[in-house]
Amino acid sequence: MSAILNPSVEKYIRNILSNNTGVLYAMEEYARENHVPIIHKEVAALVKVLTKTSGANKILEVGTAIGYSSITFAIAMGKTGSVTTIERDENMCRVATSYIEKLNMKERVKLIQGDANDVLRHLDEEYDLIFLDSAKGQYNEYLSDLLRLLKNGGILISDNVLYKGMVADDKIVLKRKKTIVNSLRNYLTAITNHPELDTCIIPIGDGVAISCKKQGGIISEQS
Ligand code: SAM
């Protein structure tokens, strides 16, 4: 359970959503057995719907782990569409690559091994959708690059923004998590007040923020 939603509501939602089979199911098992954090089932359902309804064809992901969400995005885009995904951990990259190859998705899922802080600075293409799911304390540092890389009208999805509820409630913040919680609070303040973004926060999974980069830039909504 994620500690954000009422447990019975969360259980109900997870039970009613259909289960994966094949490689995605095998990846869920691998993640469970090896304690690799991957997107929650209800978050996977949300990102699939957002990918399909937005018609995204070019996706950037920060934080690949074993490639579960990258592959979820690639499947949601249909037969075309590409995902560029960034991961700094060598072992994770190795496992992700094996799953990507197993699904013959090497052409569509491009894995870049490196620290997102460096990699993002060097990317210069525009993306329809960006999924942010790496170290939670660093989201704010990426924001200006992510906005530069997101096309007008594009979607920025940020995962784990409520961080087991600690972001919303000082009383449950563990001492060792204070820095991460403060940086997530700063990130949420930044994206909810940013003149280029419309943002909503959805309390499913570990908290998901969905932001849309305004079509006409900053002035269109004020005029
Ligand atoms: N998105 C994946 C999924 O749902 O299948 C899960 C990603 S996991 C929550 C976060 C990953 O981000 C970890 O594998 C971690 O090694 C990676 N990561 C953390 N900080 C990073 C950084 N600065 N640059 C690149 N990867 C990073």
Side-chain angles (χ1 to χ4, degrees), residues 18 20 43-53 72-73 75-76:
S18 61
N20 283 314
V43 176
L46 175 69
V47 302
K48 276 193 265 181
V49 169
L50 286 172
T51 302
K52 289 180 182 196
T53 51
T72 298
F73 278 117
I75 293 171

Side-chain angles (χ1 to χ4, degrees), residues 162-174:
L162 296 175
Y163 206 58
K164 302 177 199 337
M166 287 186 247
V167 166
D169 187 353
D170 269 336
K171 292 193 288 298
I172 60 169
V173 178
L174 302 173

Side-chain angles (χ1 to χ4, degrees), residues 60-198:
L60 173 65
E61 173 180 71
V62 187
T64 318
I66 60 169
Y68 180 79
S69 50
S70 328
I71 289 170
T72 298
F73 278 117
I75 293 171
M77 282 188 286
K79 285 194 173 22
T80 60
S82 64
V83 183
T84 298
T85 181
I86 306 167
E87 173 59 54
R88 68 177 171 193
D89 183 280
E90 200 180 328
N91 189 43
M92 290 292 169
C93 287
R94 196 180 44 74
V95 178
T97 302
S98 76
Y99 284 120
I100 292 163
E101 286 178 350
K102 205 172 265 180
L103 287 164
N104 286 322
M105 283 188 169
K106 255 192 118 175
E107 299 298 308
R108 295 184 53 209
V109 182
K110 182 185 170 204
L111 172 57
I112 302 177
Q113 186 179 339
D115 192 302
N117 265 311
D118 305 324
V119 177
L120 287 172
R121 245 174 266 151
H122 293 99
L123 293 179
D124 56 6
E125 294 182 27
E126 276 203 331
Y127 296 88
D128 303 323
L129 189 155
I130 298 180
F131 182 54
L132 181 53
D133 190 21
S134 61
K136 314 305 160 195
Q138 295 175 355
Y139 282 11
N140 237 341
E141 294 164 36
Y142 305 149
L143 187 57
S144 61
D145 275 318
L146 298 182
L147 283 173
R148 174 177 60 78
L149 295 165
L150 187 63
K151 75 165 192 193
N152 285 344
I155 301 171
L156 168 64
I157 306 173
S158 313
D159 199 15
N160 308 98
V161 292
L162 296 175
Y163 206 58
K164 302 177 199 337
M166 287 186 247
V167 166
D169 187 353
D170 269 336
K171 292 193 288 298
I172 60 169
V173 178
L174 302 173
K175 217 171 169 187
R176 64 176 196 282
K177 301 290 185 188
K178 255 187 165 164
T179 309
I180 292 180
V181 168
N182 282 335
S183 64
L184 280 169
R185 285 177 180 162
N186 289 338
Y187 178 71
L188 286 176
T189 301
I191 59 173
T192 50
N193 291 285
H194 200 287
E196 282 185 83
L197 294 175
D198 285 315

Side-chain angles (χ1 to χ4, degrees), residues 23-35 38 66 68 99:
V23 175
L24 280 176
Y25 175 73
M27 293 177 88
E28 289 163 10
E29 290 292 289
Y30 179 96
R32 199 175 46 75
E33 282 162 18
N34 295 281
H35 311 288
I38 57 171
I66 60 169
Y68 180 79
Y99 284 120

